Amino acid sequence: MHTLSLHALSKISIVISSFFALSLAKSQCEICQDIVGDFNKGLQKTLKSNFGGGNTNWEENSLGKWKTSETRLVEIVEHHICTDNEKKCHMFYENHEESIEDWYFNVYKNEDSADSLKEHLCIQTSKACCPQGQYGKDCTDCPTSGGGICSSHGKCSGDGTRSGSGKCECDSGYSGELCEDCAEEYYEQLTGSIKVCLKCDVSCEDTCSGAGPKACDDCAEGYVWEDNSGCQDVDECDGEDNPCESNSATYCVNSAGSYTCEACSPLCSSCIGSKSTDCKDCIPGYEKTDSNETTSSCQDIDECSLKPELCDRVPGAICVNTEGSFDCKCKEENQRIEDGQCIDIVETAEETSTDSENEKHKETIENSNSEKGKNRKTKSKKSSKPKSKSGKDSGKPKIDIDAMVNESSKLPAGQKRKYRTLDTMTLCSATGLYLVLCLVFHAEFFKTSLVTIIYAVFIYLYSGQYA
């Protein structure tokens, strides 16, 4: 298998990283809104943090009311703002820290809620966002019709941000530049002075003039027009032309505008339903329990009772009934049928030889285990270990690693295990891709181990052949 070049892999890595970087990057408006949300949560968390804790008098006398105290602000910033440690969030806060403090000490003290922080920070001070109903760099008004943005049936691209095109993105069922028209398969209906678009009946083909099957301009496939009731479902399963007859052991089930072929019970060769009693015909070896009924359940045919002579062609054999069939077996247990007759079961020379070898092998193993036991007893009686010339222990015996590997994997003697190897370019390429993925995804992503799995698969696919 050929390996990818490092140059080609680098290009792929750049494309992947660029795509994910763009998709994951937050706009300045989104970052500002996150900070506002975090600040509001911090205000709720610290609402009564400093009361009932033993130092209320000090707080009231030294820093004024807890609502706008500097201690509370520090706690909110340190424990609730940019908790995901995103670099852009910290940079944004540092650039607009004075604006947030100005709102906190001078505006928030006169208000009952923190709703004005978004207007103060994101729209007026940082100019990261636009007011609702405006979009783009200059906060241009979104297109309106019928008294609402995009006719109140869509949203303006970039609404409330410094980006977007301002074009209407229509809700389902609406179309047109300002979402003022009904889309295909929808019809218009006035509710007072408000126009709404409702979906046509399922029996209609694309367009309709109102509700119900009678308002269809054309009938959809699987439906037929009737003068009194409009487009009505065709029951494909009703009548002589059953569409499921060509499918073995299935029956037809009608559905709105269509049909399906469902499987019969396993013992049925044809049926009218899924139950075991819905069989019209049975598979070979079975018969209906009630032949007078159109449908019934199927039961096994006892061929040996109906025709006891089935096995007479084999002298000494008897008929044995089986599920859906029968079998001929010799009366004597030590006989088998061969060439149309019952013969004694005799072990062949090969089978006898194999049994003899197995016995010898078993005996060899038992003798070996017995000899090892004797050796262990002899060694335990010795009072000391052999010494070297220096008087120290002669050391541990050498371990034959290849012999241990071959023994554990049950390889033939003299044959060594083969190992998979990687060429340098493949390893570098795989490592490069792994590092790129590490930079692109957040730390939480690795909790799913998806990137690790991708890396492992890559290593396996592009590894070299066996050594």
Side-chain angles (χ1 to χ4, degrees), residues 190-352:
L190 288 176
T191 304
S193 59
I194 301 175
K195 182 182 77 173
V196 294
C197 295
L198 302 176
K199 192 169 180 59
C200 295
D201 191 82
V202 67
S203 63
C204 298
E205 177 77 27
D206 297 334
T207 58
C208 64
S209 58
K214 295 183 69 175
C216 297
D217 294 335
D218 292 296
C219 293
E221 184 179 356
Y223 294 85
V224 64
W225 179 264
E226 294 183 3
D227 293 335
N228 295 329
S229 54
C231 294
Q232 297 298 310
D233 173 52
V234 176
D235 188 352
E236 294 87 353
C237 302
D238 187 24
E240 296 180 358
D241 297 330
N242 189 332
C244 295
E245 284 184 345
S246 59
N247 297 331
S248 178
T250 60
Y251 65 98
C252 184
V253 178
N254 186 57
S255 59
S258 185
Y259 69 93
T260 57
C261 293
E262 303 292 340
C264 296
S265 174
L267 301 183
C268 305
S269 60
S270 63
C271 65
I272 61 171
S274 61
K275 298 179 181 178
S276 60
T277 56
D278 292 334
C279 298
K280 293 170 63 178
D281 296 292
C282 301
I283 62 174
Y286 292 84
E287 62 181 355
K288 293 167 64 176
T289 54
D290 191 344
S291 58
N292 295 324
E293 295 292 333
T294 304
T295 62
S296 71
S297 57
C298 294
Q299 63 182 0
D300 174 53
I301 298 174
D302 189 348
E303 294 87 353
C304 298
S305 297
L306 295 175
K307 295 182 179 181
E309 70 277 6
L310 284 172
C311 294
D312 287 352
R313 57 187 174 82
V314 182
I318 58 173
C319 181
V320 179
N321 185 59
T322 60
E323 194 69 26
S325 185
F326 71 96
D327 193 12
C328 293
K329 292 185 177 181
C330 296
K331 294 179 181 180
E332 302 296 334
E333 293 183 359
N334 63 338
Q335 289 185 331
R336 64 186 178 191
I337 297 177
E338 186 175 315
D339 296 332
Q341 59 182 345
C342 288
I343 62 172
D344 293 336
I345 299 175
V346 180
E347 290 185 351
T348 63
E350 182 179 350
E351 292 173 339
T352 304

Side-chain angles (χ1 to χ4, degrees), residues 114-153:
D115 295 340
S116 64
L117 177 57
K118 179 180 177 181
E119 172 77 18
H120 176 85
L121 176 62
C122 302
I123 298 175
Q124 295 180 357
T125 307
S126 68
K127 300 188 183 302
C129 303
C130 290
Q132 289 300 120
Q134 296 181 350
Y135 73 95
K137 183 178 180 180
D138 300 322
C139 291
T140 306
D141 290 336
C142 288
T144 59
S145 177
I149 295 174
C150 299
S151 305
S152 300
H153 298 308

